[in-house]
């Protein structure tokens, strides 16, 4: 097992990583789920693990171990916390190698326009060809063009009234207190002898030449290329140059450490906590006030369940110190509690419906593989609260229009007509929810369909900026294809009385340069956990069909 990796939210550059043989999984303890700091017996003597600095670029040679077993969620949280503690301790150590020089590829700046200020005490170098490429991409209304213009404005503000640019410009001139390094811009020609097989006129090869020349000019410093282009990093390493991916936008490197929204209580939970538990009835629900070691792993709006002894399925509604208040759930698996004719088929779906039907929960995220029922549950809850309880005025549906295959090109018609091909999943689920009633006849079925469609509006994300949705039930589908910035733009459209639902599958990311760790969906799940008015559930079991389940597991 390779050395566990520090969480990328507090990312650092790892160097001198020794090969550490791992103990067997069966004998793993809480310490092995956390960060291993010493080699096991029999390991060859090598330098210890050191953190050269705290910066957003992370070595890719390390991984976080995947917790397994009954208490996987608890062990995963323990591993994440231990890793964070280790990084915080290591940040206080002084780097022996001193500040480094990071040469930024153009795609890093266009991916994150604030990346200039993310390298803390290290220097950032921009080749002239990078500035040329920024200029080529600045035109248009796309996200890339907006980022290119934002970078140009930042560079202009940094270099204003600077006499000696060749000596470097302090990156904290604009108030970025964490940026302690300098901005270095290529002011002279840097010649390097690259293999003749690499075309000289290609921008990527010119940047590699700059990295090569800088490494020769500064033998006492580490010079590294930072790029989102995998092939460029491979070429750099083939030439003996340091190359890293840009990881500042990564929330998590290992998806198994992502907050799942539910926690399995230990088998001896009732034995250890039975004496200190208070319980009472209120509003048809049973409340428990518990205290003890189990509370430290709980979060507000997290679901807890215990399958041994006295079964318990509840939701954490309050945490105060070492005391938590649990509330039993409404059982949506029973026909009497069905939502628009839909009942929960498994425990996670029951958790999801409790969040979707909770008026105090303003933001809900549902993750899960294909066929777990994310869209169906969200639509059923939306129709019930719009047409039956009248809690919301209408349902607004939007999604990221990222094609799986080739783009089909221009689509004629209005906004809703253009979005229609992207909304096939909602049409399929509406057919399931709008089951024909034989006694109603054709006219009754047609009237019901028309009524439902008047309450569902399909909107494009391209026209969301500046809008405010009041008393709406907003569903964002395929949210895994959104960047954190796009996700922030959409969620901040919510006005008074609006509920936002984000649906997605992290295994189906189609947007270039987005990964499971940097997706906007991962970002909001991590940032909203523990907020009293937000909830999250990762759906586990597929309920579409046995064929779909087998395909998801084996293809």
């Amino acid at each position: 097992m390779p050395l566990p990796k520090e969480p990328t939210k507090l990312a650092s550059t790892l160097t001198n990583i020794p090969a550490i043989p791992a103990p067997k999984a069966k004998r793993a303890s809480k310490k092995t789920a956390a960060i291993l700091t010493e080699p096991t017996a029999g390991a060859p003597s090598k330098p210890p693990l050191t953190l050269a600095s705290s910066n957003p670029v992370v070595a890719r040679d390390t991984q976080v171990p995947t917790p397994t077993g009954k208490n996987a969620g608890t062990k995963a949280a323990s591993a994440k916390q231990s890793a964070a503690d280790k990084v915080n301790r290591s940040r206080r150590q002084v780097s022996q190698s001193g500040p480094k020089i990071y040469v930024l590829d153009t795609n890093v700046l266009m991916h994150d326009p604030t990346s200039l200020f993310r390298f803390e005490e290290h220097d950032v170098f921009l080749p002239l060809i990078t500035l040329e490429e920024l200029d080529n991409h600045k035109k248009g209304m796309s996200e890339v063009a907006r980022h290119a213009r934002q970078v140009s404005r930042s560079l202009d503000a940094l270099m204003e009234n600077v006499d000696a640019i060749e000596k470097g410009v302090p990156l904290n001139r604009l108030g970025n207190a964490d940026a302690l390094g300098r901005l270095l811009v290529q002011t002279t020609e840097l010649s390097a002898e690259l293999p003749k097989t690499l075309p000289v006129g290609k921008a990527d090869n010119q940047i590699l030449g700059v990295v090569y020349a800088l490494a020769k000019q500064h033998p006492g410093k580490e010079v590294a290329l930072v790029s989102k282009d995998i092939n460029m990093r491979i070429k750099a390493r083939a030439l003996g140059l340091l190359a890293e991916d840009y990881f500042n936008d990564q929330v998590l490197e290992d998806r198994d450490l992502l907050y799942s929204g539910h926690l399995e209580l230990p088998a001896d939970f009732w034995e250890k906590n039975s004496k200190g538990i208070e319980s009472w009835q209120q509003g048809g629900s049973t409340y428990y006030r518990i205290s003890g070691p189990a509370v430290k792993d709980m979060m507000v709006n997290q679901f807890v369940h215990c399958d041994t002894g006295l079964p318990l399925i509840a939701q954490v509604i309050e945490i105060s110190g070492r005391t938590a208040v649990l509330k039993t759930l409404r059982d949506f698996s029973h026909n009497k509690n069905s939502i628009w004719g839909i009942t929960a088929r498994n425990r996670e779906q029951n958790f999801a419906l409790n969040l979707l039907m909770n008026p105090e929960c303003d933001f809900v995220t549902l993750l899960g593989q294909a066929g777990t029922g994310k869209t169906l549950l969200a639509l059923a809850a939306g129709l019930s609260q719009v047409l039956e309880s009248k809690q919301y005025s209408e349902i607004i549906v939007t999604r990221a229009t990222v094609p799986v295959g080739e783009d089909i090109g221009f689509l004629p018609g209005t906004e809703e007509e253009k979005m229609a091909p992207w909304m096939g999943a909602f049409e399929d689920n509406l057919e399931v929810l709008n089951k024909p009633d034989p006694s109603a006849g054709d006219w009754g079925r047609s009237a019901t369909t028309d009524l439902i469609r008047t309450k569902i509006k399909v909107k494009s994300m391209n026209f969301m900026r500046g809008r405010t949705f009041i008393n709406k039930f907003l569903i964002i589908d395929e949210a895994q294809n959104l960047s954190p910035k796009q996700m922030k733009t959409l969620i901040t459209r919510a006005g008074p009385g609006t509920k936002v639902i984000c649906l997605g599958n992290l295994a189906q990311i189609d947007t270039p340069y987005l990964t499971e760790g940097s997706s906007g969906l991962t970002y909001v799940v991590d940032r909203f956990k523990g907020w009293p008015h937000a909830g999250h559930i990762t759906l586990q079991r597929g309920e579409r069909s046995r064929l779909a389940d087998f395909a998801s597991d084996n293809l």
Side-chain angles (χ1 to χ4, degrees), residues 42-189:
S45 177
K46 291 191 177 182
L49 172 67
T50 59
L51 285 169
S53 62
S54 51
N55 63 71
V57 186
V58 180
R60 297 182 62 85
D61 297 326
T62 57
Q63 295 178 356
V64 177
T66 303
T68 57
K70 274 191 170 184
N71 298 325
T74 304
K75 291 183 179 180
S78 174
K80 184 177 178 182
Q81 183 61 40
S82 300
D85 293 341
K86 181 173 178 61
V87 171
N88 289 332
R89 289 195 303 269
S90 301
R91 281 178 175 224
R92 294 191 289 266
Q93 299 176 358
V94 179
S95 173
Q96 297 178 355
S97 60
K100 301 180 182 180
I101 298 177
Y102 286 111
V103 182
L104 300 194
D105 192 5
T106 315
N107 51 44
V108 174
L109 296 170
M110 293 190 296
H111 177 73
D112 180 7
T114 63
S115 58
L116 286 170
F117 312 104
R118 304 296 187 187
F119 291 86
E120 298 195 349
E121 73 269 23
H122 304 288
D123 296 335
V124 175
F125 188 94
L126 293 184
L128 285 177
I129 189 63
T130 297
L131 302 178
E132 187 69 24
E133 286 191 309
L134 283 175
D135 187 65
N136 294 336
H137 289 88
K138 68 181 181 182
K139 297 179 181 178
M141 298 300 296
S142 65
E143 194 75 13
V144 169
R146 282 194 288 267
H147 286 179
R149 292 192 293 269
Q150 183 177 341
V151 173
S152 298
R153 287 191 293 268
S154 297
L155 291 174
D156 181 58
L158 277 172
M159 297 182 184
E160 189 176 6
N161 299 325
V162 175
D163 297 329
I165 294 180
E166 65 276 0
K167 295 182 180 179
V169 181
L171 286 167
N172 58 5
R173 286 194 70 196
L174 303 182
N176 299 279
D178 294 334
L180 304 178
R182 297 172 300 157
L183 171 65
L184 304 172
V185 181
Q186 181 182 354
T187 56
T188 59
E189 183 179 358

Side-chain angles (χ1 to χ4, degrees), residues 146-362:
R146 282 194 288 267
H147 286 179
R149 292 192 293 269
Q150 183 177 341
V151 173
S152 298
R153 287 191 293 268
S154 297
L155 291 174
D156 181 58
L158 277 172
M159 297 182 184
E160 189 176 6
N161 299 325
V162 175
D163 297 329
I165 294 180
E166 65 276 0
K167 295 182 180 179
V169 181
L171 286 167
N172 58 5
R173 286 194 70 196
L174 303 182
N176 299 279
D178 294 334
L180 304 178
R182 297 172 300 157
L183 171 65
L184 304 172
V185 181
Q186 181 182 354
T187 56
T188 59
E189 183 179 358
L190 296 175
S191 58
E193 297 180 1
L194 295 178
K196 295 181 180 180
T197 53
L198 293 177
V200 180
K202 191 174 181 182
D204 287 359
N205 297 334
Q206 293 184 36
I207 295 176
L208 290 176
V210 170
V211 179
Y212 192 87
L214 283 175
K216 282 192 170 184
Q217 285 186 7
H218 304 277
K221 283 189 175 183
E222 286 192 19
V223 179
L225 169 70
V226 182
S227 176
K228 298 295 292 181
D229 188 339
I230 297 176
N231 291 327
M232 189 172 179
R233 296 200 303 268
I234 293 174
K235 285 195 293 184
R237 289 166 184 154
L239 295 172
L241 304 173
L242 293 177
E244 305 289 350
D245 194 358
Y246 179 71
F247 276 109
N248 182 264
D249 57 343
Q250 295 274 22
V251 180
L252 293 171
E253 178 66 15
D254 193 337
R255 191 178 69 179
D256 292 325
L257 294 180
L258 184 63
Y259 175 62
S260 66
H262 61 89
L263 174 69
E264 183 176 1
L265 298 175
D268 57 352
F269 171 76
W270 291 110
E271 297 177 6
K272 290 186 176 181
N273 298 275
S274 58
K275 294 183 179 180
I277 289 182
E278 302 176 27
S279 63
W280 67 93
Q281 299 280 338
Q282 181 179 337
S285 299
T286 302
Y287 291 80
Y288 298 93
R289 179 177 283 108
I290 65 171
S291 59
V295 176
K296 72 180 188 321
D297 297 322
M298 297 181 182
M299 293 187 180
V300 176
N301 277 347
Q302 186 179 32
F303 296 94
V304 295
H305 56 93
C306 182
D307 300 326
T308 58
L310 182 63
L312 173 67
I313 298 179
Q315 183 179 14
V316 182
I317 62 171
E318 181 185 332
I319 294 180
S320 177
R322 294 175 57 86
T323 303
V325 177
L326 310 182
K327 176 186 175 183
T328 56
L329 305 179
R330 185 179 179 187
D331 185 11
F332 287 103
S333 62
H334 199 282
N335 287 329
K336 69 177 182 180
N337 294 325
S338 64
I339 303 299
W340 207 261
I342 299 297
T343 57
R345 293 188 177 184
N346 55 58
R347 181 171 55 204
E348 287 77 19
Q349 285 192 356
N350 189 31
F351 294 161
L353 284 174
N354 273 275
L355 288 175
L356 292 169
M357 299 301 294
N358 184 358
E360 294 299 320
C361 196
D362 301 331

Side-chain angles (χ1 to χ4, degrees), residues 340-410:
W340 207 261
I342 299 297
T343 57
R345 293 188 177 184
N346 55 58
R347 181 171 55 204
E348 287 77 19
Q349 285 192 356
N350 189 31
F351 294 161
L353 284 174
N354 273 275
L355 288 175
L356 292 169
M357 299 301 294
N358 184 358
E360 294 299 320
C361 196
D362 301 331
F363 183 71
V364 178
T365 50
L366 300 182
L367 287 181
Q369 65 180 5
T372 49
K374 304 182 295 294
T375 307
L376 184 65
L377 295 176
L379 266 181
L383 290 173
S384 174
Q385 295 173 89
V386 168
L387 295 176
E388 291 181 352
S389 62
K390 310 289 186 182
Q391 188 170 348
Y392 304 101
S393 59
E394 63 181 1
I395 301 174
I396 294 179
V397 180
T398 187
R399 59 162 286 171
T401 54
V402 180
V404 176
E406 293 293 330
D407 199 335
I408 60 176
F410 174 75

